[in-house]
Amino acid sequence: MEFDLVAVQEAVTVSGECRERWRKDWVALMELAVWGDLRSQQIGLAGKLRKRILEFGERLRSYVSDRSWIPHPRDQIKNALSTSLQLREVMEKVDEVLCPFAEGADLARLQSFWQAFSARLMTDITEREGALVALLNQQYQEEI
């Protein structure tokens, strides 16, 4: 049996509203990381944080990208799951780099902003992954 194409589109597509909000949030996050007053005893940590947030932005862009160009629904689902996993991994890396920061006028603001942003994003990731896995499981059950 074939995939329900409407269900696949819903599962792999991020709404324009979410996409725009996350883009703006990422820009604000990057601005805090580049221009914010953040200090650490560890040399090079600020540069590492900026690099991780840039990588996070790239993964976020992949997560919200259009998958309609991928011809087969199963491949769309697998692509969406893959980008979701990559986004989760880079979010963990951002968390790891943020922990050693100890000082700075903007540190608390950056940390609270990141916690709120990543929590909202993780909610979407979890729900979307659940829908994608359910679609794949349904397909595999029908093939047995």
Side-chain angles (χ1 to χ4, degrees), residues 5-18:
L5 297 181
V6 173
V8 171
Q9 270 314 111
E10 288 176 2
V12 301
T13 304
V14 174
S15 74
E17 178 183 305
C18 282

Side-chain angles (χ1 to χ4, degrees), residues 46-85:
K48 191 173 184 179
L49 174 65
R50 293 177 194 126
K51 180 181 174 185
R52 292 295 181 214
I53 292 175
L54 182 60
E55 184 181 5
F56 167 70
E58 292 170 346
R59 297 295 181 247
L60 181 60
R61 173 66 177 95
S62 293
Y63 180 74
V64 303
S65 63
D66 178 29
R67 291 178 175 75
S68 63
W69 63 272
I70 302 172
H72 196 280
R74 183 182 307 220
D75 293 332
Q76 290 180 10
I77 292 169
K78 289 165 50 176
N79 179 273
L81 284 170
S82 173
T83 59
S84 177
L85 177 62

Side-chain angles (χ1 to χ4, degrees), residues 51-142:
K51 180 181 174 185
R52 292 295 181 214
I53 292 175
L54 182 60
E55 184 181 5
F56 167 70
E58 292 170 346
R59 297 295 181 247
L60 181 60
R61 173 66 177 95
S62 293
Y63 180 74
V64 303
S65 63
D66 178 29
R67 291 178 175 75
S68 63
W69 63 272
I70 302 172
H72 196 280
R74 183 182 307 220
D75 293 332
Q76 290 180 10
I77 292 169
K78 289 165 50 176
N79 179 273
L81 284 170
S82 173
T83 59
S84 177
L85 177 62
Q86 292 170 2
L87 183 58
R88 280 178 180 264
E89 289 173 351
V90 78
M91 288 170 70
E92 289 175 11
K93 290 177 183 177
V94 171
D95 280 334
E96 290 171 7
V97 174
L98 265 175
C99 288
F101 281 93
E103 302 176 31
D106 295 314
L107 180 60
R109 192 171 78 169
L110 175 64
Q111 289 172 331
S112 65
F113 186 85
W114 171 249
Q115 287 173 352
F117 183 17
S118 61
R120 284 190 313 271
L121 192 52
M122 192 54 79
T123 298
D124 185 82
I125 290 170
T126 303
E127 291 172 5
R128 191 169 309 281
E129 285 176 346
L132 293 166
V133 168
L135 284 167
L136 283 178
N137 286 340
Q138 178 185 8
Q139 184 72 21
Y140 288 129
Q141 292 300 323
E142 292 171 358

